[in-house]
Amino acid sequence: MSKPLVTEREVRRAAREGKKSLDVSDAVVTPSARDVAGALGVELTRGSGARGAPPEKQSTPGSPPAPNQSSTSATTSPPRPTVAVGADHGGVAMKNAVAEHLRAAGYPVTDLGTNSSDPVDYPDFAVAVARAVASKQAAVGIMVDGAGIGSCMAANKVPGVRAAMCYDVTTAANAREHNGANMLTLGGGLLGTRLALAIVDTFLGTSFGGGRHAKRVEKIDALDRRG
């Protein structure tokens, strides 16, 4: 008899219902379910069917890991890359939370606005962030608007930019590892701050996989040169 499968859908449902834990006894838990559980603060536990078993390991949003960070305390970590951030009026609060989170983790942050709730046009700020990435003033860009979609469209018009709109940690990891994304767009009206920070941490902490993905990304970049 096959074991039941626990996905991020079940975890999100538990979070919406206000549950702090979810019994996953005798179930197979997907990696994305563990990631979302960590982001939403839902503990995955084993019930009486697995007495004494420890809770499922799950990710928690914290300081984004530095690439190739050594486990030896005596080794000095490499400097963090500069991150350019931007937002329209619908994403300014989340943008500020992201910027504060990154600075606390040691990332140099270039804030390109906006910085108030006065209505502005998201393409202007998305392109500003994208140009900072394309010109290598920043290694990575993060843009927040209401849904994250329009800013992604605008940013991808800038040659050299591979922007990805991510809505969970799985899409964030995929965007970096498979697609070599160098800019992240977020929907400030669709995501909670806790999950958004987990997405940011995953995006920055995941390296491009290279290999079979490299030639595919090269084909994406070649579209910029064709005009």
Side-chain angles (χ1 to χ4, degrees), residues 84-86 110 112 122-143 151-163 182-185:
V85 300
T110 301
L112 298 174
Y122 62 80
D124 297 336
F125 295 89
V127 168
V129 173
R131 285 175 175 164
V133 173
S135 65
K136 302 191 185 305
Q137 296 176 46
V140 178
I142 299 174
M143 172 70 191
S151 288
C152 188
M153 292 178 175
N156 277 319
K157 297 294 185 180
V158 177
V161 171
R162 295 182 297 274
N182 52 15
M183 182 168 168
L184 168 68
T185 66

Side-chain angles (χ1 to χ4, degrees), residues 40-215:
L40 298 180
V42 177
E43 184 180 17
L44 303 180
T45 61
R46 299 288 181 180
S48 58
R51 189 183 302 275
E56 288 279 325
K57 290 184 179 180
Q58 53 209 53
S59 301
T60 55
S63 298
N68 303 319
Q69 185 173 9
S70 172
S71 59
T72 304
S73 59
T75 303
T76 302
S77 298
R80 304 274 191 165
T82 298
V83 180
V85 300
D88 69 356
H89 54 286
V92 65
M94 183 172 288
K95 182 263 291 180
N96 291 342
V98 168
E100 181 180 356
H101 179 70
L102 293 176
R103 291 189 181 105
Y107 282 86
V109 175
T110 301
D111 189 339
L112 298 174
T114 189
N115 294 304
S116 77
S117 58
D118 295 337
V120 294
D121 297 327
Y122 62 80
D124 297 336
F125 295 89
V127 168
V129 173
R131 285 175 175 164
V133 173
S135 65
K136 302 191 185 305
Q137 296 176 46
V140 178
I142 299 174
M143 172 70 191
V144 189
D145 65 15
I149 300 170
S151 288
C152 188
M153 292 178 175
N156 277 319
K157 297 294 185 180
V158 177
V161 171
R162 295 182 297 274
M165 192 278 288
C166 299
Y167 53 86
D168 60 17
V169 293
T170 303
T171 51
N174 191 93
R176 290 283 273 179
E177 183 179 358
H178 292 192
N179 311 122
N182 52 15
M183 182 168 168
L184 168 68
T185 66
L186 298 169
L190 303 177
L191 301 171
T193 300
R194 187 182 179 90
L195 178 56
L197 296 182
I199 292 170
V200 168
D201 288 354
T202 300
F203 190 85
L204 293 176
T206 303
S207 300
F208 179 50
R212 71 183 188 278
H213 306 298
K215 71 174 183 178

